[in-house]
Amino acid sequence: MKPMYKVINSIALAGMIGTMSIASYPTPASAAKTKAEVSTTADTASTKSNKNTKASAAVVKKVEQTLKKLTKKAYKLDKGSYIDDYGWDFNILGTPFPSQLLVDLKGNIQSGHIQEEHITFYIENNKISYTQQNIDMNDVAEQDIQAAEEVFSKLDLPSGELDGAVLQHKGKKQIIELMYTNDKYGTWIGVDKATHKVVAVNARALADDYFNKGQEAVDEYHKKIKAITARQLQDSGVAQAELLFGIDLNGHMVEKKAFPSDRALFTKKGAPTVEGRFNSDGSFYSMHIVYK
């Protein structure tokens, strides 16, 4: 299997807040493909960055202490890039692959990841959200591949080549995430290893692409996203969850999140929680069942 790693720019990382499951954020791919994808789907392209606002020594120390507590290893941060009125985007020094964190003004890690040779830690709200490791395709059950390909065939996308797999540990769940690629985009499909059912889909080609199209295009995108109502998201979310996962979201409460602005949460007592990211047409390009 090809070696896989991630590249995230500061804008894309800001868009990962609260989405550290399959959607946010960074998923395995070649460096070139992933860099192109996160650039075209960054949620916070209109966020201004002032690189002259340096994080205090106290903030840096707090973050580094949190990382050591979570991973049992000492890490150092670079100077970071300031995100106006929010905090900093830090690169982690000394890791074999790009590793980044989004930190608020009080030094709390909102989201991010650390990628070592054999394991990646995903962090959300000062806690390990889940871990991920590369696996050989020979270790993936044929049932899992069949389940993923059946769902992939339901997406309005060109055919993709199965390009690799990772194993994610989310709470008590083990999720096999399969990556499909074509000339430009990647699609990631997560399958529950125990049940062989699809529990996550991230089709980046269905997201809005306004990279290098100017501020007017960015502003128009945010205007459309803001205008989409919870009722519209409920209609599209119910249909897509049934199509992709075979679950019924009727009766779920839909909460449209303020940041990132394309995020929605479907909740209902006694039923699975589903999180999604939607495009300016009100359709979801990414959905996953939330595990804690």
Side-chain angles (χ1 to χ4, degrees):
M1 185 180 69
K2 301 175 184 178
M4 296 182 292
Y5 55 99
K6 311 164 194 64
V7 175
I8 312 173
N9 61 22
S10 61
I11 293 175
L13 186 64
M16 289 161 49
I17 296 178
T19 61
M20 288 309 299
S21 296
I22 188 171
S24 51
Y25 59 12
T27 37
S30 69
K33 287 178 181 175
T34 306
K35 186 173 183 179
E37 285 154 16
V38 296
S39 296
T40 57
T41 57
D43 175 78
T44 54
S46 61
T47 301
K48 297 178 181 178
S49 178
N50 180 356
K51 297 183 182 297
N52 294 323
T53 305
K54 185 179 178 181
S56 68
V59 165
V60 173
K61 182 178 180 180
K62 181 177 179 179
V63 174
E64 291 177 347
Q65 287 178 336
T66 300
L67 292 179
K68 187 172 184 179
K69 179 180 178 181
L70 294 177
T71 66
K72 312 304 180 186
K73 181 178 178 180
Y75 289 99
K76 293 294 183 181
L77 307 179
D78 70 354
K79 294 180 180 179
S81 298
Y82 180 66
I83 301 172
D84 286 356
D85 301 322
Y86 188 82
W88 293 269
D89 162 22
F90 289 106
N91 292 302
I92 299 174
L93 303 175
T95 56
F97 304 106
S99 301
Q100 289 178 274
L101 301 173
L102 185 66
V103 175
D104 69 18
L105 295 171
K106 296 182 179 180
N108 298 306
I109 302 173
Q110 294 298 301
S111 59
H113 76 286
I114 303 173
Q115 185 167 7
E116 295 287 1
E117 286 286 355
H118 302 295
I119 190 169
T120 301
F121 299 94
Y122 288 86
I123 302 171
E124 182 178 2
N125 297 326
N126 284 337
K127 297 179 180 179
I128 297 292
S129 176
Y130 66 96
T131 61
Q132 176 173 290
Q133 62 194 76
N134 288 345
I135 57 173
D136 192 279
M137 285 303 302
N138 293 326
D139 296 327
V140 179
E142 186 62 31
Q143 288 172 282
D144 294 333
I145 296 175
Q146 290 175 354
E149 292 185 346
E150 181 180 350
V151 167
F152 187 91
S153 69
K154 297 177 181 179
L155 301 172
D156 186 19
L157 293 173
S159 59
E161 176 188 356
L162 181 55
D163 202 27
V166 294
L167 175 63
Q168 299 174 337
H169 298 272
K170 297 184 175 183
K172 296 181 180 179
K173 293 285 186 178
Q174 293 188 45
I175 308 298
I176 300 292
E177 186 182 75
L178 299 163
M179 181 181 72
Y180 294 84
T181 59
N182 55 32
D183 290 340
K184 187 176 181 181
Y185 295 104
T187 298
W188 295 267
I189 299 178
V191 183
D192 187 322
K193 189 176 180 181
T195 65
H196 309 295
K197 292 183 178 180
V198 171
V199 295
V201 174
N202 186 8
R204 307 301 294 181
L206 300 180
D208 292 89
D209 180 1
Y210 47 76
F211 182 59
N212 279 343
K213 294 183 179 178
Q215 189 61 42
E216 185 176 343
V218 173
D219 292 342
E220 181 64 20
Y221 161 78
H222 283 287
K223 181 180 178 181
K224 289 180 178 179
I225 289 291
K226 186 176 181 180
I228 293 171
T229 66
R231 178 57 185 269
Q232 287 176 277
L233 295 176
Q234 183 176 39
D235 290 343
S236 59
V238 167
Q240 288 182 256
E242 174 64 33
L243 176 70
L244 301 175
F245 306 145
I247 61 175
D248 185 6
L249 292 185
N250 281 299
H252 278 62
M253 182 181 74
V254 183
E255 182 182 3
K256 185 181 177 185
K257 295 293 187 177
F259 187 76
S261 58
D262 67 347
R263 177 179 172 229
L265 203 62
F266 296 80
T267 57
K268 180 181 178 181
K269 187 176 181 180
T273 294
V274 173
E275 183 175 308
R277 302 287 289 270
F278 55 92
N279 59 30
S280 59
D281 292 328
S283 297
F284 287 88
Y285 66 85
S286 173
M287 296 187 85
H288 67 274
I289 298 174
V290 177
Y291 297 111
K292 297 181 179 180

